[in-house]
């Protein structure tokens, strides 16, 4: 009886441990918040939206990538970089189709923005109060 209970306990422990086996790559939990932007999955079909600076809060030059975790980055969310006092330049990835309302509003040191030809929508006030902005070209694809 004791042997049977011990065997059941050992099997239960193995099951619990196996549930956590895929959580960490090399013995540590993967922390994406320190060196990356913040993202939100819109859908597996559509891709990701950038929602903020994540662990890059002190960066002055921002590059929004084409892909995140193998899916396209297609949008910059409303207020994603609102009142960021560090940004001086932004390069937007080639898959981004929309920059939402107030995405960069109040980025007072922002001087240069490079927009992709894939861009279709620039939301209301997206660059409002970007008083240092002197270098931006709006692609003809924007409605």
């Amino acid at each position: 009886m004791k042997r049977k209970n011990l065997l059941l306990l050992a099997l239960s422990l193995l099951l619990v441990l196996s549930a956590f086996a895929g959580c960490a790559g090399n013995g540590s939990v993967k922390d994406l918040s320190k060196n990356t932007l913040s993202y939100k999955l819109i859908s597996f079909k559509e891709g990701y939206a950038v929602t903020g600076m994540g662990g890059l809060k002190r960066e002055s030059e921002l590059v929004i990538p084409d892909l995140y975790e193998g899916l396209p980055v297609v949008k910059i969310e409303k207020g994603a970089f609102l009142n960021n006092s560090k940004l001086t330049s932004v390069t937007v990835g080639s898959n981004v189709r929309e920059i939402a309302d107030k995405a960069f509003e109040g980025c007072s040191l922002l001087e240069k923005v490079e927009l992709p030809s894939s861009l279709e929508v620039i939301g209301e006030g997206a660059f409002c109060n970007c008083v240092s902005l002197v270098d931006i070209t709006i692609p003809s694809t924007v409605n």
Side-chain angles (χ1 to χ4, degrees), residues 39-94:
Y39 296 89
K40 174 179 87 173
L41 181 63
I42 298 170
S43 72
F44 287 110
K45 182 180 178 184
E46 196 170 351
Y48 281 95
V50 174
T51 60
M53 290 294 281
L56 300 175
K57 294 192 185 322
R58 296 181 183 184
E59 296 295 317
S60 61
E61 296 180 4
L62 175 65
V63 176
I64 298 186
D66 298 337
L67 301 172
Y68 177 71
E69 294 190 347
L71 293 174
V73 176
V74 296
K75 182 177 180 181
I76 301 171
E77 282 288 321
K78 180 177 182 177
F81 304 101
L82 182 68
N83 296 323
N84 183 300
S85 61
K86 304 279 187 213
L87 282 180
T88 58
S89 73
V90 175
T91 301
V92 179
S94 65

